[in-house]
Amino acid sequence: MSTSRFYAVEKASNRKAVWAVTPSQKVSDYYGEHVFNRRAMKKYLSKETYETLTQAIDTGTPIGREFANHVAAGMRMWALEKGVTHYTHWFQPLTDGTAEKHDAFVELDGNGGMIEEFSGKLLVQQEPDASSFPSGGLRNTFEARGYSAWDPSSPAFIVDDTLCIPTVFIAYTGEALDYKTPLIRSTEALNKAAREVCHYFNEDVKKVITYLGWEQEYFLVDEDLYSARPDLSLTERTLLGHESAKNQQLDDHYFGSIPTRVQEFMKDLEVECYRLGIPVKTRHNEAAPNQFELAPIYEECNLANDHNQLLLSVMKRVARHHNFRVLLHEKPFMGINGSGKHCNWSMGTDTGINLFSPGKNREDNLRFITFVVNTIMAVYKFNALLKGSIASATNVHRLGANEAPPAIISSFLGREITEILDKFENSSIEDAIEVDEKKRLHLGIGQIPELLLDNTDRNRTSPFAFTGNRFEFRAPGALANCGSPMLALNSAVAYQLQQFVKDVEALKRGGKSKEVAIFEVLKSYIKTSKPIRFDGNGYSEEWKIEAQSRGLDCENSVPLQYDAYLKPEVIQMFEATEVLKKKELEARNEVKWEVYTKKVQIEARVLGDLSLNHIIPVVIRYQSVLLDNISKLKETFSAEEYETLSAEPRRLIHKIAGHINAVTRMVDEMIEARKKANRIAEMREKAIAYHDEVAPYLDEIRQHIDELELMVDNQMWPLPKYRELLFMR
Ligand code: ADP
Ligand code: MG
């Protein structure tokens, strides 16, 4: 039954034929067909070029210009055969999403004609006219221009008629202007540091690889309803809207079947992902109505992040064909679960060992404890940074509310690991570590079950949980580039592992054996890092007080959370791991403050418009209806009867007038606060002013309007309501 003129009607989806697969086609038939992967390389490159390229990819060695010509020629041939006409360098600027600039494959041939051209030069490096991307002052049009450079470790792919080449985006002076550059540097730092630690246990390890498996949550809304809500169209979140009588109380969405229309969308999305070599595996409903999740099989960190960024754009495109819009905002609806992007993180060796897997033998278990304890130690020391790495104007609405981890970083290890660490801490070396006849070290205290029981019994409130063979960082937001939290985590752990080696070596120089040194260092780390371990309820008020007393970072203001990047120990950490220099950190923070400011600024503008141009005029109209009603009552009834009959409409008019006054007054004040903040030149100060002086109005104004929503005639209300937006038919 229609409750307002906005009710979404069931629509036939408008599927593009290209996504359709015949029932007989298996995923393996088309998986990766839009990717210049090793199979395509083998076919389109000479044997020599193929071997040199794959070796360069595996070892990270630079690729020469002449050689790039060969690769480009093969790539071009492959792409042209698939009907591609354009190419682009695809990069990840410090704003949300990805950027690209399309060029056609054609060059003048000098004889009045055109030829299809794509040289090594164009593959390897380009100068996108990217002066409009924020650079925190590192690169402005007068100084040096930025350039994008090919990242051979992530394969080129095709979207529509365009060959996309994954690239890093850097200033001519070498500073990173994107997420990819420092992410790659951080995996390299972790490789070096972790490899060295592995050598205490196993000399054979040549490479340590960082893995990332993300879980992407998102909302779908009907395209028509989305277009009728300026706040959704412009900010991706509802700045207004009273809770629906039914929302997620019954948890029926989580367990429910996926609606047909959504299922069709998901099928097409998956086909497109497979063609692009994104190994998506699980899809399901999430807790909130209209909320869903997609997760792939985990991959090497840099590639996994490229795949996540690519997924976000593919998702939006496919959704349009089904008359949906995807919402990636972390909190599109108040009072309802937000969307995160859990980052499952682990390290593995080239010898096939997962460093967070307890393993089959006792030897592996000491190595396992070493990596777990060092990770916990890094998270402890850099908890403020990790929080800064996931902080944003949008994610802030999600953290700490409705099933989202709180804005305090702590780590849940589960019963088994906790018991083992406690035992380790209280045992003597003879009990804790054994050295066998082959001089191999292993854990003497008990055995760690191969399949950790706590694996199933997970603490959903923990921002950083150990989940059996990996850590799950749950605080990152749905919209974020995983590069931000991953590069912070990789660098912090790499730095910590460097420190571990230093500490062990120092004890060895003091005459202790390797075994004793490792034992003593781990024991002291277990003690020191205790404050970060928390297995209780992260949502509780007591935890906030407790966390404060443990010295964990409890800062709530996003602009101030970014300060964590510029603490001396953090700068020291990023420089020691060669991931980011001080100058880069400073510039990146400028961008973060600027993006924060702009997002709040846009929300404030949109809410101002909505209030004054959409809501208040309608409310006044409804007030007139009531006034009209009152005067008619007066004309029709005796004075005595009128008194009784008009009591309610008169009371309503007073209430409504109160809200109208409050809203208009606060919109004015908010505009003033914005004007004042806009006069501040310094980015950090401006962001703080937006946080302290402007943002609070958003909530206050909303409260009044949401109350008006309950009073005003449903037929007159100008915006689709929560019950319409949230329950797909
Ligand atoms: P849950 O919702 O229970 O957390 P999912 O199956 O939705 O589990 O997601 C688990 C994610 O963890 C997937 O992306 C998966 O690829 C990833 N993952 C599994 N093992 C590892 C690992 N060793 N390292 C990194 N990611 C992993
Ligand atoms: Mg999950």
Side-chain angles (χ1 to χ4, degrees):
M1 203 194 321
S2 171
T3 45
S4 97
R5 62 199 171 94
F6 295 109
Y7 219 102
V9 287
E10 177 93 46
K11 293 185 188 75
S13 51
N14 162 20
R15 296 174 72 164
K16 206 178 163 189
V18 65
W19 287 315
V21 280
T22 59
S24 64
Q25 268 185 298
K26 296 192 298 295
V27 173
S28 54
D29 295 337
Y30 53 89
Y31 186 78
E33 72 179 6
H34 290 170
V35 185
F36 195 61
N37 52 22
R38 293 197 183 203
R39 204 170 50 201
M41 286 176 194
K42 215 169 197 160
K43 188 165 163 204
Y44 290 87
L45 301 178
S46 70
K47 190 162 179 285
E48 195 195 337
T49 309
Y50 173 81
E51 273 164 14
T52 317
L53 178 60
T54 47
Q55 214 204 339
I57 293 170
D58 293 340
T59 56
T61 43
I63 288 168
R65 183 60 53 93
E66 189 46 39
F67 176 71
N69 277 329
H70 297 306
V71 180
M75 223 185 244
R76 191 194 58 159
M77 206 194 308
W78 169 75
L80 288 177
E81 275 179 26
K82 291 187 176 290
V84 167
T85 51
H86 286 66
Y87 64 91
T88 181
H89 272 198
W90 183 79
F91 58 100
Q92 301 169 25
L94 294 170
T95 44
D96 303 328
T98 50
E100 45 203 70
K101 175 190 161 229
H102 297 218
D103 283 312
F105 270 135
V106 289
E107 296 287 337
L108 293 173
D109 68 359
N111 298 314
M114 288 276 209
I115 48 163
E116 271 74 31
E117 190 48 287
F118 184 56
S119 64
K121 190 168 140 254
L122 296 173
L123 165 67
V124 170
Q125 186 170 321
Q126 272 192 43
E127 259 187 54
D129 179 22
S131 47
S132 55
F133 290 106
S135 65
L138 269 182
R139 167 191 51 77
N140 65 46
T141 18
F142 306 106
E143 273 181 274
R145 309 227 343 227
Y147 70 94
S148 54
W150 178 34
D151 166 19
S153 69
S154 181
F157 55 89
I158 295 171
V159 174
D160 282 340
D161 58 1
T162 303
L163 171 68
C164 303
I165 297 146
T167 55
V168 292
F169 181 38
I170 34 190
Y172 264 108
T173 36
E175 291 88 4
L177 298 169
D178 66 350
Y179 285 110
K180 194 189 242 293
T181 310
L183 180 63
I184 294 176
R185 290 180 192 155
S186 76
T187 55
E188 188 41 37
L190 195 54
N191 168 31
K192 273 195 206 144
R195 196 172 52 197
E196 209 174 331
V197 173
C198 281
H199 289 167
Y200 283 136
F201 309 99
N202 180 350
E203 283 291 338
D204 302 338
V205 173
K206 289 194 190 61
K207 189 172 174 183
V208 173
I209 305 134
T210 315
Y211 293 107
L212 163 65
W214 40 263
E215 299 164 55
Q216 179 70 50
E217 292 179 333
Y218 61 97
F219 279 87
L220 286 177
V221 284
D222 184 88
E223 175 122 51
D224 292 347
L225 297 180
Y226 172 91
S227 315
R229 295 268 326 204
D231 49 355
L232 277 185
S233 323
L234 299 175
T235 72
E236 278 215 2
R237 91 170 163 117
T238 53
L239 297 170
L240 310 167
H242 198 280
E243 212 182 306
S244 159
K246 175 181 190 267
N247 50 42
Q248 61 189 53
Q249 306 96 323
L250 299 175
D251 275 339
D252 44 358
H253 185 70
Y254 194 76
F255 299 110
S257 57
I258 300 178
T260 328
R261 213 179 129 199
V262 176
Q263 234 168 44
E264 278 183 26
F265 154 76
M266 284 179 169
K267 264 190 221 147
D268 284 353
L269 175 61
E270 280 162 9
V271 169
E272 187 67 352
C273 283
Y274 289 142
R275 290 201 160 121
L276 286 164
I278 307 175
V280 291
K281 196 166 163 73
T282 63
R283 55 157 121 133
H284 54 77
N285 287 353
E286 274 299 312
N290 284 7
Q291 192 189 25
F292 307 94
E293 183 189 289
L294 192 69
I297 299 169
Y298 65 94
E299 300 174 286
E300 181 277 315
C301 193
N302 171 39
L303 181 63
N305 188 38
D306 280 2
H307 279 164
N308 180 255
Q309 286 298 306
L310 182 54
L311 170 89
L312 300 187
S313 59
V314 170
M315 209 177 209
K316 287 182 186 163
R317 209 156 38 86
V318 177
R320 297 290 296 270
H321 287 280
H322 290 269
N323 301 309
F324 285 129
R325 287 295 191 137
V326 174
L327 301 180
L328 294 171
H329 191 291
E330 285 84 0
K331 195 77 176 176
F333 304 101
M334 203 171 77
I336 284 180
N337 276 22
S339 301
K341 174 147 54 201
H342 298 175
C343 290
N344 293 271
W345 173 89
S346 68
M347 291 184 264
T349 65
D350 59 338
T351 55
I353 300 167
N354 174 348
L355 295 175
F356 292 128
S357 236
K360 294 189 175 52
N361 54 50
R362 294 187 300 170
E363 187 187 357
D364 290 343
N365 287 340
L366 183 61
R367 184 215 63 226
F368 164 74
I369 294 292
T370 301
F371 280 96
V372 168
V373 168
N374 274 289
T375 301
I376 293 303
M377 189 71 175
V379 174
Y380 169 60
K381 283 193 199 155
F382 296 101
N383 72 88
L385 170 71
L386 289 174
K387 196 166 81 183
S389 78
I390 55 95
S392 72
T394 52
N395 201 19
V396 67
H397 297 286
R398 162 181 168 255
L399 295 181
N402 303 82
E403 303 288 308
I408 300 166
I409 302 292
S410 65
S411 184
F412 168 87
L413 292 180
R415 192 168 44 81
E416 268 112 352
I417 307 293
T418 303
E419 274 172 14
I420 287 164
L421 295 194
D422 288 347
K423 255 194 214 150
F424 197 106
E425 189 188 340
N426 298 313
S427 58
S428 63
I429 174 124
E430 291 76 25
D431 297 333
I433 296 177
E434 291 171 359
V435 186
D436 63 17
E437 63 288 354
K438 285 186 185 155
K439 289 238 172 204
R440 286 181 309 202
L441 301 180
H442 47 72
L443 196 63
I445 36 172
Q447 274 305 335
I448 306 174
E450 218 180 298
L451 219 176
L452 293 165
L453 289 180
D454 272 321
N455 200 2
T456 48
D457 159 39
R458 291 190 264 159
N459 183 336
R460 292 267 159 197
T461 70
S462 179
F464 195 84
F466 181 73
T467 55
N469 62 0
R470 61 190 188 264
F471 282 92
E472 185 170 342
F473 194 9
R474 301 208 182 98
L479 185 58
N481 185 307
C482 310
S484 178
M486 288 298 100
L487 78 90
L489 179 62
N490 291 341
S491 313
V493 174
Y495 184 65
Q496 175 54 43
L497 291 169
Q498 289 177 357
Q499 189 59 47
F500 176 72
V501 171
K502 277 188 204 152
D503 291 344
V504 168
E505 293 306 310
L507 290 184
K508 276 166 69 187
R509 277 195 304 278
K512 301 217 159 124
S513 70
K514 176 169 91 177
E515 298 74 50
V516 171
I518 290 177
F519 170 74
E520 288 188 0
V521 173
L522 285 180
K523 201 163 159 161
S524 81
Y525 286 179
I526 293 173
K527 274 203 182 73
T528 316
S529 62
K530 248 186 192 164
I532 200 75
R533 279 158 57 189
F534 178 64
D535 288 5
N537 178 8
Y539 298 161
S540 66
E541 281 306 307
E542 299 87 76
W543 169 233
K544 287 185 194 154
I545 298 162
E546 158 102 25
Q548 191 107 40
S549 72
R550 290 186 185 192
L552 300 179
D553 185 273
C554 295
E555 181 55 62
N556 276 321
S557 155
V558 172
L560 297 179
Q561 286 169 353
Y562 294 148
D563 285 348
Y565 279 97
L566 299 177
K567 284 194 209 154
E569 63 273 25
V570 171
I571 295 174
Q572 152 75 20
M573 179 278 280
F574 276 122
E575 295 204 325
T577 49
E578 296 179 359
V579 174
L580 288 164
K581 294 194 214 70
K582 184 171 180 217
K583 190 175 162 197
E584 290 172 295
L585 288 164
E586 285 169 346
R588 297 169 83 89
N589 259 26
E590 291 292 303
V591 176
K592 289 181 209 294
W593 285 314
E594 187 182 339
V595 170
Y596 176 86
T597 300
K598 286 194 170 147
K599 291 213 168 172
V600 178
Q601 189 176 56
I602 293 170
E603 289 193 348
R605 282 188 185 153
V606 173
L607 185 60
D609 288 351
L610 276 176
S611 306
L612 302 185
N613 302 329
H614 291 68
I615 305 296
I616 298 297
V618 167
V619 175
I620 290 177
R621 213 155 39 170
Y622 180 58
Q623 206 183 27
S624 307
V625 172
L626 293 173
L627 283 168
D628 197 38
N629 172 256
I630 291 173
S631 47
K632 284 183 178 140
L633 288 173
K634 197 163 196 168
E635 284 166 23
T636 319
F637 296 98
S638 70
E640 204 181 317
E641 279 175 306
Y642 164 76
E643 273 306 311
T644 338
L645 292 172
S646 67
E648 185 54 28
R650 278 188 290 139
R651 200 181 60 86
L652 205 49
I653 287 173
H654 277 289
K655 267 171 84 176
I656 289 176
H659 289 304
I660 294 177
N661 291 342
V663 170
T664 43
R665 177 179 51 79
M666 282 193 285
V667 169
D668 282 347
E669 287 173 11
M670 182 169 72
I671 293 171
E672 276 314 306
R674 247 170 51 212
K675 281 189 187 155
K676 213 169 132 198
N678 290 345
R679 284 196 290 270
I680 303 173
E682 227 243 313
M683 269 306 164
R684 178 174 177 276
E685 297 309 315
K686 190 186 274 193
I688 293 172
Y690 264 90
H691 175 272
D692 295 353
E693 310 296 338
V694 180
Y697 282 111
L698 295 169
D699 293 335
E700 287 184 40
I701 294 171
R702 173 187 193 137
Q703 266 179 22
H704 287 279
I705 297 183
D706 288 356
E707 283 193 37
L708 284 168
E709 188 186 315
L710 295 183
M711 295 174 202
V712 173
D713 180 357
N714 184 55
Q715 289 299 326
M716 292 172 93
W717 195 253
L719 302 174
K721 296 184 174 180
Y722 267 28
R723 64 163 185 270
E724 295 158 319
L725 292 167
L726 282 168
F727 294 93
M728 196 100 64
R729 295 198 312 166

